[in-house]
Amino acid sequence: MTSGIHHLTAITRKIQDNVDFYVGFLGLRLVKRTAGFEDAQQLHLFYGDGAATPGSLVTFLAWEDGSLGRVGHGAPSEISFAIDREAIGFWLTRALQCNVKMTGPTQEFGEPVLRLTDPDGIIVKLVGVDDYGDWVWWKDGGIARADAIRGIRGASILSEKADETAAFLERHTGFVVGAVEGASQRLVSESGQIIDVRNAGGFWTAAPGTGTIDHVAVRAKSQQAVDDLHKALQAENAGDINVHDRHYFYSLYVREPGGTLIEVATDDPGFTADETVEALGTGFFIPKHYKADHEALKVMLPQFGLPGEERVIYRDLPFVHRIHMPEDWDGSTLVLLHGSGANETAMLPLGRKVAPNAMLIGLRGRSTDEGSPRFFRRFSQTTFDQKEIASEVEAFVAFIEDIGPAYGVDPERLTFLGYSNGGNMLGATMQLRPDAIRKAVLLRSMNVLEERPVVDLSAVQILSISAIDDFYGPLAGELEDRLNVVGAQLTAKVLDANHGLGAEDEVIVRDWLQERTA
């Protein structure tokens, strides 16, 4: 093993678009699917060559519909892949045919370079090289061996302290100073891979978010080498240093003087630690330190399809939403509305438990109150913004009308489930737009409307579950009374519980849904 780059990690906003670009367009192999090591509710995908060779890997953390980041000093700015010099023409033509944003080719450090832009706006350079070294062609990538990506060529780092950044990398990562071109100092490893440190004095600082590169990971010869480096960095007061066992490699994280996050990672045990080379990327790994229900965690992660596989094509609808499809869809749909401070994924695990074969659609409230998503603002624990309720109900009804043509939802097999603020939204919707909902589950809900609309809900079936040890428990009665008076077919349950949801809620909701399905 020689020194060089182990992998590069970036952040994507739309995982399906990301897969389509890196697998479908670039022809890389998806070699690993995991939950995030720091956040189990974050999908982490690894792409590489046919054998997940260290040095071929680019990885993405999925922040679905997350905030956009900003490229600036203190972070990497470009990913570069190595291709054969003669393949530049192939990729130029392919980018034009596939409508991928592109500039070039140009010459950089004597090498032909084609710059592409991925769906998140990250700059991906294809660099023509004479010799790359060991790599494994992925025959199912759709790209001929002669034109295929060999692996990572390198990365570019923007730094306000370019000289200090270069010296740090040379001192600790096995890279040595090479040529200078313009404002960029090239560092070269034993493997031939490079890091270009670009002087970005006077440029703005980087901001984390989607469309940015999080860190550069360089290769370490062994776990002992990582531990030795840890001691050396501590001795020179290099700042915060974190050491982790990442299951597939052992590594540490440190920031170089310019602020870029650098990881130092071992080759071993490698990506065949839990999958054979033939099966790489087919399983799903959740780090063992997460004690939560692993099946529930999986439901909260975004689904995607590889090229040729079935996938959900998301539509631009009034609410940010997440869809989770079961292995065997029975044609029913459950729309889930979260409580205060949660998001579109929060209710998906409950949804999958109570409706194992339903399409799940989780919504994110559009109102931000006290820094957290809600479906409408509150002025106090029991008073709410009436104008916003009315306007958000209209937007919600538009969403309901759109999901039929957008996702093939059968309105006759459509149920809504809302918890706390989400349940309050459903209660308000049924009173203001009685034609919109035919079946609803309200969990820990209350009435939020000051006026009392005269409506007919005789065709509506409702399950309401409140709790004794809950501030809102006694308030559920007013909403249930309103729904009863206008003819709703209401089933009301009171549990010896608090505002949180538990196993008893799951059983009651599942049984209620099954009875109505039958």
Side-chain angles (χ1 to χ4, degrees), residues 342-454:
N343 61 26
E344 65 274 18
T345 69
M347 300 300 293
L348 294 175
L350 173 65
R352 184 53 68 222
K353 289 179 180 178
V354 301
N357 299 112
M359 176 199 298
L360 304 180
I361 305 179
L363 270 64
R364 183 195 302 175
R366 306 194 310 174
S367 180
T368 301
D369 190 21
E370 299 172 356
S372 300
R374 293 174 56 87
F375 287 94
F376 46 81
R377 288 173 293 179
R378 64 181 177 186
F379 299 138
S380 72
Q381 284 186 293
T382 57
T383 58
F384 305 87
D385 187 332
Q386 299 299 299
K387 289 184 178 180
E388 187 172 44
I389 291 172
S391 64
E392 288 305 291
V393 163
E394 291 305 311
F396 181 45
V397 172
F399 179 88
I400 295 170
E401 293 171 348
D402 287 343
I403 58 177
Y407 300 120
V409 172
D410 181 353
E412 299 299 320
R413 305 195 64 190
L414 175 59
T415 304
F416 298 84
L417 183 152
Y419 166 61
S420 192
N421 183 245
N424 300 347
M425 180 68 167
L426 294 179
T429 301
M430 287 185 285
Q431 294 180 74
L432 294 174
R433 290 295 301 270
D435 56 327
I437 295 174
R438 288 291 175 265
K439 193 183 300 180
V441 177
L442 311 178
L443 304 174
R444 313 297 191 268
S445 305
M446 63 170 288
N447 175 63
V448 295
L449 295 180
E450 295 172 2
E451 296 184 1
R452 191 170 186 130
V454 178

Side-chain angles (χ1 to χ4, degrees), residues 255-303:
R255 291 194 181 275
E256 51 81 20
T260 296
L261 184 61
I262 303 295
E263 182 178 10
V264 182
T266 62
D267 284 6
D268 296 328
F271 287 81
T272 55
D274 52 12
E275 290 179 314
T276 64
V277 171
E278 293 75 21
L280 282 171
T282 58
F284 190 87
F285 173 74
I286 294 180
K288 59 185 179 182
H289 61 266
Y290 292 115
K291 304 303 181 185
D293 182 345
H294 282 195
E295 291 305 312
L297 291 174
K298 290 179 183 178
V299 175
M300 300 178 76
L301 297 172
Q303 293 177 310

Side-chain angles (χ1 to χ4, degrees), residues 95-220:
L96 291 170
Q97 291 174 336
C98 297
N99 199 30
V100 171
K101 187 177 178 181
M102 168 201 63
T103 60
T106 60
Q107 289 281 320
E108 295 181 10
F109 290 94
E111 299 170 330
V113 173
L114 192 66
R115 271 184 171 78
L116 310 175
T117 303
D118 85 353
D120 289 291
I122 294 173
I123 300 301
V124 175
K125 297 197 301 187
L126 300 182
V127 182
V129 299
D130 293 316
D131 180 40
Y132 183 75
D134 294 335
W135 65 287
V136 178
W137 175 52
W138 175 230
K139 61 182 179 61
D140 294 329
I143 309 295
R145 182 185 182 93
D147 299 318
I149 289 173
R150 271 68 169 147
I152 297 294
R153 172 59 175 149
S156 299
I157 290 175
L158 300 181
S159 177
E160 267 198 323
K161 303 175 180 179
D163 292 342
E164 293 180 49
T165 297
F168 179 92
L169 294 173
E170 185 175 27
R171 190 162 64 250
H172 294 301
T173 68
F175 283 71
V176 297
V177 171
V180 175
E181 187 171 283
S184 293
Q185 169 68 69
R186 172 153 291 188
L187 300 174
V188 183
S189 69
E190 296 172 21
S191 67
Q193 293 170 314
I194 57 91
I195 296 176
D196 289 334
V197 179
R198 184 174 180 83
N199 190 331
F203 201 45
W204 52 67
T205 57
T210 62
T212 63
I213 304 167
D214 185 72
H215 64 268
V216 176
V218 299
R219 293 168 72 179

Side-chain angles (χ1 to χ4, degrees), residues 238-251:
D240 292 335
I241 306 164
N242 298 297
V243 179
H244 298 279
D245 180 353
R246 294 307 197 196
H247 187 68
Y248 306 109
F249 46 85
Y250 180 82
S251 68

